[in-house]
Amino acid sequence: GYKNLYGSKRFVKDSFAGSIAVETEHANGIDIQDNGDQDSYTKKNINLYGSWMLGQGDFYLNYIQSDNSSDLDGWNNTSNWQFDNTQLGYETQDSRLIYNQANHKRTYDTSNVYLSSDARLLTEKTWNQWTVSLEHSNHTYDNNSRTEQGAAVAYNNQWLSAELRSDDTELGSFASWRLGVSHSGLRASVANGFRTPSLYEVYGDDLYVEENTSLQAEYITAYELGYRNSWVDTALFFNQETDRI
Protein backbone atom coordinates (compact mmCIF):
# COMPACT_ATOMS: atom_id res chain seq x y z
CA GLY A 1 0.00 0.00 0.00
CA TYR A 2 0.95 3.67 -0.34
CA LYS A 3 0.18 6.66 1.89
CA ASN A 4 1.19 10.31 1.60
CA LEU A 5 0.26 13.06 4.03
CA TYR A 6 1.21 16.73 3.74
CA GLY A 7 0.31 19.78 5.78
CA SER A 8 1.55 23.36 5.98
CA LYS A 9 0.75 26.55 7.87
CA ARG A 10 1.86 30.14 7.26
CA PHE A 11 1.47 32.98 9.76
CA VAL A 12 2.34 36.68 9.89
CA LYS A 13 2.35 38.98 12.91
CA ASP A 14 3.83 42.49 13.05
CA SER A 15 7.46 42.21 11.87
CA PHE A 16 7.51 38.40 11.98
CA ALA A 17 6.58 35.93 9.25
CA GLY A 18 6.89 32.17 9.50
CA SER A 19 5.79 28.85 8.09
CA ILE A 20 5.83 25.16 8.95
CA ALA A 21 5.43 22.21 6.58
CA VAL A 22 5.26 18.50 7.45
CA GLU A 23 5.19 15.56 5.05
CA THR A 24 5.09 11.80 5.58
CA GLU A 25 5.18 9.12 2.90
CA HIS A 26 5.01 5.34 3.28
CA ALA A 27 4.98 2.49 0.80
CA ASN A 28 4.92 -1.23 1.55
CA GLY A 29 5.21 -4.38 -0.51
CA ILE A 30 7.41 -2.89 -3.26
CA ASP A 31 9.21 -5.49 -5.40
CA ILE A 32 11.54 -3.70 -7.83
CA GLN A 33 13.48 -6.78 -8.98
CA ASP A 34 10.41 -9.05 -9.22
CA ASN A 35 11.92 -11.58 -6.84
CA GLY A 36 9.17 -11.71 -4.23
CA ASP A 37 11.03 -9.38 -1.88
CA GLN A 38 8.51 -7.25 0.05
CA ASP A 39 10.37 -3.99 0.53
CA SER A 40 9.11 -0.88 2.31
CA TYR A 41 9.90 2.82 2.20
CA THR A 42 9.20 5.60 4.72
CA LYS A 43 9.95 9.32 4.44
CA LYS A 44 9.39 12.10 6.99
CA ASN A 45 10.15 15.76 6.23
CA ILE A 46 9.85 18.89 8.39
CA ASN A 47 10.51 22.45 7.24
CA LEU A 48 10.45 25.46 9.58
CA TYR A 49 10.99 29.04 8.43
CA GLY A 50 10.87 32.38 10.20
CA SER A 51 11.97 35.93 9.36
CA TRP A 52 12.11 39.13 11.42
CA MET A 53 12.64 42.73 10.35
CA LEU A 54 15.62 44.08 12.29
CA GLY A 55 16.91 47.57 11.63
CA GLN A 56 17.53 48.06 7.92
CA GLY A 57 17.41 44.35 7.09
CA ASP A 58 15.82 40.97 7.66
CA PHE A 59 17.01 38.17 9.93
CA TYR A 60 15.81 34.70 8.97
CA LEU A 61 16.03 31.09 10.12
CA ASN A 62 15.35 28.08 7.91
CA TYR A 63 15.43 24.52 9.27
CA ILE A 64 14.94 21.31 7.28
CA GLN A 65 14.86 17.77 8.69
CA SER A 66 14.50 14.63 6.62
CA ASP A 67 14.37 10.97 7.69
CA ASN A 68 14.27 8.25 5.03
CA SER A 69 14.18 4.50 5.71
CA SER A 70 13.99 1.68 3.18
CA ASP A 71 14.80 -1.95 2.51
CA LEU A 72 17.45 -2.70 -0.10
CA ASP A 73 15.84 -4.77 -2.82
CA GLY A 74 17.29 -8.25 -3.18
CA TRP A 75 18.80 -8.26 0.33
CA ASN A 76 17.51 -8.40 3.87
CA ASN A 77 19.38 -5.18 4.64
CA THR A 78 17.86 -1.83 5.55
CA SER A 79 19.08 1.71 5.11
CA ASN A 80 18.28 4.89 7.01
CA TRP A 81 19.32 8.39 5.95
CA GLN A 82 18.90 11.27 8.38
CA PHE A 83 19.56 14.79 7.17
CA ASP A 84 19.14 18.20 8.75
CA ASN A 85 20.07 21.66 7.52
CA THR A 86 20.01 24.90 9.50
CA GLN A 87 20.55 28.28 7.87
CA LEU A 88 20.78 31.63 9.67
CA GLY A 89 21.06 34.85 7.74
CA TYR A 90 20.84 38.61 7.87
CA GLU A 91 20.34 40.59 4.68
CA THR A 92 20.10 44.28 3.85
CA GLN A 93 19.81 46.02 0.51
CA ASP A 94 23.57 45.91 -0.10
CA SER A 95 24.98 43.20 2.19
CA ARG A 96 24.32 39.77 3.61
CA LEU A 97 25.74 37.40 6.24
CA ILE A 98 24.82 33.71 6.06
CA TYR A 99 25.72 30.68 8.20
CA ASN A 100 24.70 27.20 7.03
CA GLN A 101 25.12 23.91 8.91
CA ALA A 102 24.23 20.56 7.32
CA ASN A 103 24.46 17.14 9.00
CA HIS A 104 24.03 13.76 7.36
CA LYS A 105 23.86 10.34 9.01
CA ARG A 106 23.66 7.21 6.83
CA THR A 107 23.06 3.81 8.41
CA TYR A 108 23.14 0.49 6.55
CA ASP A 109 21.95 -2.74 8.13
CA THR A 110 22.12 -1.05 11.61
CA SER A 111 25.91 -1.62 11.83
CA ASN A 112 27.51 0.51 9.10
CA VAL A 113 27.14 4.16 10.14
CA TYR A 114 28.60 7.14 8.25
CA LEU A 115 28.49 10.69 9.60
CA SER A 116 29.20 13.85 7.64
CA SER A 117 28.69 17.57 8.21
CA ASP A 118 29.29 20.80 6.34
CA ALA A 119 29.53 24.28 7.92
CA ARG A 120 29.71 27.40 5.76
CA LEU A 121 29.98 31.10 6.60
CA LEU A 122 29.49 33.68 3.85
CA THR A 123 29.67 37.47 4.03
CA GLU A 124 28.99 39.74 1.07
CA LYS A 125 28.98 43.51 0.50
CA THR A 126 28.02 45.57 -2.55
CA TRP A 127 29.22 49.07 -3.44
CA ASN A 128 27.62 50.57 -6.54
CA GLN A 129 28.46 47.98 -9.24
CA TRP A 130 31.10 46.08 -7.23
CA THR A 131 30.49 43.10 -4.96
CA VAL A 132 33.03 41.53 -2.60
CA SER A 133 32.43 38.23 -0.81
CA LEU A 134 34.37 36.13 1.70
CA GLU A 135 33.64 32.50 2.52
CA HIS A 136 34.88 29.94 5.05
CA SER A 137 33.76 26.31 5.17
CA ASN A 138 34.55 23.18 7.14
CA HIS A 139 33.69 19.64 6.01
CA THR A 140 33.84 16.45 8.05
CA TYR A 141 33.28 12.81 7.10
CA ASP A 142 33.70 10.23 9.86
CA ASN A 143 37.21 10.96 11.26
CA ASN A 144 38.33 13.11 8.32
CA SER A 145 37.99 16.88 7.99
CA ARG A 146 38.83 19.66 5.55
CA THR A 147 38.68 23.45 5.71
CA GLU A 148 38.41 25.84 2.77
CA GLN A 149 38.50 29.63 2.34
CA GLY A 150 37.38 31.68 -0.62
CA ALA A 151 37.30 35.32 -1.69
CA ALA A 152 35.66 36.84 -4.75
CA VAL A 153 35.18 40.24 -6.35
CA ALA A 154 32.57 40.88 -9.05
CA TYR A 155 31.60 43.78 -11.28
CA ASN A 156 28.24 44.18 -13.05
CA ASN A 157 26.68 46.86 -15.21
CA GLN A 158 24.16 46.84 -18.06
CA TRP A 159 26.44 45.15 -20.57
CA LEU A 160 29.46 43.73 -18.74
CA SER A 161 29.84 41.25 -15.88
CA ALA A 162 33.11 39.92 -14.51
CA GLU A 163 34.12 37.88 -11.46
CA LEU A 164 37.44 36.68 -10.06
CA ARG A 165 37.62 34.18 -7.21
CA SER A 166 40.46 32.64 -5.21
CA ASP A 167 40.12 29.49 -3.07
CA ASP A 168 42.57 27.97 -0.63
CA THR A 169 42.02 24.29 0.22
CA GLU A 170 44.05 21.41 1.60
CA LEU A 171 44.37 20.13 -1.98
CA GLY A 172 45.95 23.39 -3.11
CA SER A 173 45.06 26.96 -4.11
CA PHE A 174 42.78 27.59 -7.08
CA ALA A 175 41.67 30.60 -9.09
CA SER A 176 38.45 30.80 -11.08
CA TRP A 177 36.88 33.54 -13.15
CA ARG A 178 33.93 34.53 -15.33
CA LEU A 179 33.50 37.17 -18.06
CA GLY A 180 30.21 37.99 -19.73
CA VAL A 181 28.86 40.61 -22.14
CA SER A 182 25.29 41.40 -23.20
CA HIS A 183 23.67 43.89 -25.59
CA SER A 184 20.24 44.17 -27.25
CA GLY A 185 19.21 40.68 -26.08
CA LEU A 186 22.44 38.97 -27.16
CA ARG A 187 24.74 37.56 -24.52
CA ALA A 188 28.02 35.67 -24.40
CA SER A 189 30.15 34.43 -21.53
CA VAL A 190 33.17 32.29 -20.72
CA ALA A 191 34.01 30.93 -17.29
CA ASN A 192 36.67 28.75 -15.71
CA GLY A 193 36.08 26.80 -12.50
CA PHE A 194 37.08 23.79 -10.43
CA ARG A 195 35.64 21.24 -8.02
CA THR A 196 37.55 19.41 -5.32
CA PRO A 197 36.48 15.82 -4.54
CA SER A 198 34.24 15.48 -1.52
CA LEU A 199 35.46 13.54 1.51
CA TYR A 200 32.89 10.87 0.65
CA GLU A 201 34.39 10.51 -2.84
CA VAL A 202 37.91 10.29 -1.37
CA TYR A 203 37.30 7.84 1.50
CA GLY A 204 34.24 5.91 0.24
CA ASP A 205 31.85 3.89 2.38
CA ASP A 206 33.00 0.25 1.92
CA LEU A 207 29.67 -0.46 0.18
CA TYR A 208 29.12 1.52 -2.99
CA VAL A 209 32.09 3.90 -3.25
CA GLU A 210 35.67 2.66 -2.96
CA GLU A 211 38.38 4.70 -1.24
CA ASN A 212 40.55 6.72 -3.62
CA THR A 213 42.90 9.09 -1.80
CA SER A 214 44.67 10.06 -5.05
CA LEU A 215 41.68 12.03 -6.35
CA GLN A 216 42.50 15.60 -7.34
CA ALA A 217 40.42 18.60 -8.34
CA GLU A 218 38.57 18.63 -11.66
CA TYR A 219 38.48 21.69 -13.91
CA ILE A 220 35.89 23.00 -16.32
CA THR A 221 35.78 25.80 -18.89
CA ALA A 222 32.25 26.79 -19.87
CA TYR A 223 31.12 28.83 -22.88
CA GLU A 224 27.65 30.27 -23.48
CA LEU A 225 26.08 32.18 -26.37
CA GLY A 226 22.44 33.20 -26.13
CA TYR A 227 19.62 35.53 -27.08
CA ARG A 228 16.57 36.68 -25.09
CA ASN A 229 13.61 38.96 -25.73
CA SER A 230 10.03 39.21 -24.43
CA TRP A 231 8.93 35.91 -25.98
CA VAL A 232 12.01 33.72 -26.38
CA ASP A 233 15.12 32.80 -24.41
CA THR A 234 17.59 30.45 -26.06
CA ALA A 235 21.24 29.57 -25.46
CA LEU A 236 24.05 27.36 -26.75
CA PHE A 237 26.40 25.82 -24.18
CA PHE A 238 29.76 24.11 -24.47
CA ASN A 239 31.68 22.69 -21.49
CA GLN A 240 35.26 21.39 -21.55
CA GLU A 241 36.28 19.23 -18.57
CA THR A 242 39.73 18.16 -17.37
CA ASP A 243 40.58 15.49 -14.76
CA ARG A 244 36.92 14.65 -14.27
CA ILE A 245 36.22 12.96 -10.94
Side-chain angles (χ1 to χ4, degrees):
Y2 174 81
K3 295 180 180 179
N4 178 261
L5 298 174
Y6 176 82
S8 64
K9 176 67 175 178
R10 178 175 173 82
F11 38 90
V12 178
K13 184 177 181 181
D14 299 329
S15 61
F16 173 79
S19 64
I20 179 173
V22 179
E23 179 184 19
T24 63
E25 183 178 11
H26 178 75
N28 194 20
I30 302 174
D31 187 9
I32 299 176
Q33 296 184 348
D34 195 24
N35 57 6
D37 198 18
Q38 297 298 303
D39 298 325
S40 63
Y41 169 78
T42 301
K43 178 178 71 174
K44 300 176 183 178
N45 292 334
I46 299 176
N47 186 195
L48 302 174
Y49 177 82
S51 65
W52 297 262
M53 293 181 60
L54 295 176
Q56 300 297 316
D58 293 318
F59 172 81
Y60 67 88
L61 165 66
N62 190 32
Y63 175 75
I64 299 174
Q65 183 185 75
S66 180
D67 190 318
N68 297 271
S69 299
S70 65
D71 290 335
L72 303 179
D73 199 81
W75 297 274
N76 292 321
N77 297 341
T78 60
S79 66
N80 176 256
W81 287 31
Q82 296 175 328
F83 172 83
D84 66 81
N85 189 93
T86 303
Q87 185 172 99
L88 299 171
Y90 182 74
E91 297 189 8
T92 66
Q93 186 176 358
D94 58 5
S95 63
R96 61 178 180 155
L97 178 65
I98 300 174
Y99 175 76
N100 196 89
Q101 173 75 45
N103 303 300
H104 195 184
K105 178 181 180 181
R106 295 176 296 117
T107 305
Y108 298 102
D109 198 21
T110 71
S111 58
N112 297 313
V113 180
Y114 302 92
L115 303 174
S116 62
S117 66
D118 293 278
R120 176 172 176 257
L121 180 65
L122 170 69
T123 179
E124 186 177 275
K125 177 68 175 179
T126 300
W127 295 272
N128 296 323
Q129 297 168 329
W130 293 89
T131 300
V132 176
S133 61
L134 301 174
E135 182 178 345
H136 176 84
S137 59
N138 182 70
H139 315 279
T140 64
Y141 177 65
D142 287 343
N143 296 320
N144 306 288
S145 64
R146 178 193 299 165
T147 59
E148 299 176 346
Q149 295 82 33
V153 57
Y155 176 81
N156 291 276
N157 63 21
Q158 293 182 345
W159 61 273
L160 174 67
S161 63
E163 181 174 357
L164 178 63
R165 180 181 175 92
S166 175
D167 289 270
D168 183 25
T169 77
E170 294 181 8
L171 296 179
S173 297
F174 304 91
S176 52
W177 50 267
R178 181 185 183 277
L179 179 64
V181 293
S182 60
H183 182 69
S184 300
L186 291 171
R187 68 181 185 274
S189 66
V190 58
N192 177 270
F194 75 98
R195 184 179 79 86
T196 57
S198 68
L199 293 175
Y200 177 63
E201 291 171 324
V202 172
Y203 297 102
D205 58 9
D206 299 324
L207 291 173
Y208 304 107
V209 178
E210 295 183 357
E211 179 179 318
N212 186 353
T213 56
S214 64
L215 282 177
Q216 298 296 316
E218 67 177 21
Y219 300 88
I220 183 171
T221 302
Y223 305 88
E224 178 186 351
L225 179 64
Y227 175 76
R228 178 172 59 186
N229 59 25
S230 60
W231 57 274
V232 67
D233 187 354
T234 184
L236 176 66
F237 299 91
F238 175 75
N239 296 330
Q240 185 178 12
E241 297 179 332
T242 305
D243 297 329
R244 185 175 182 180
I245 297 175

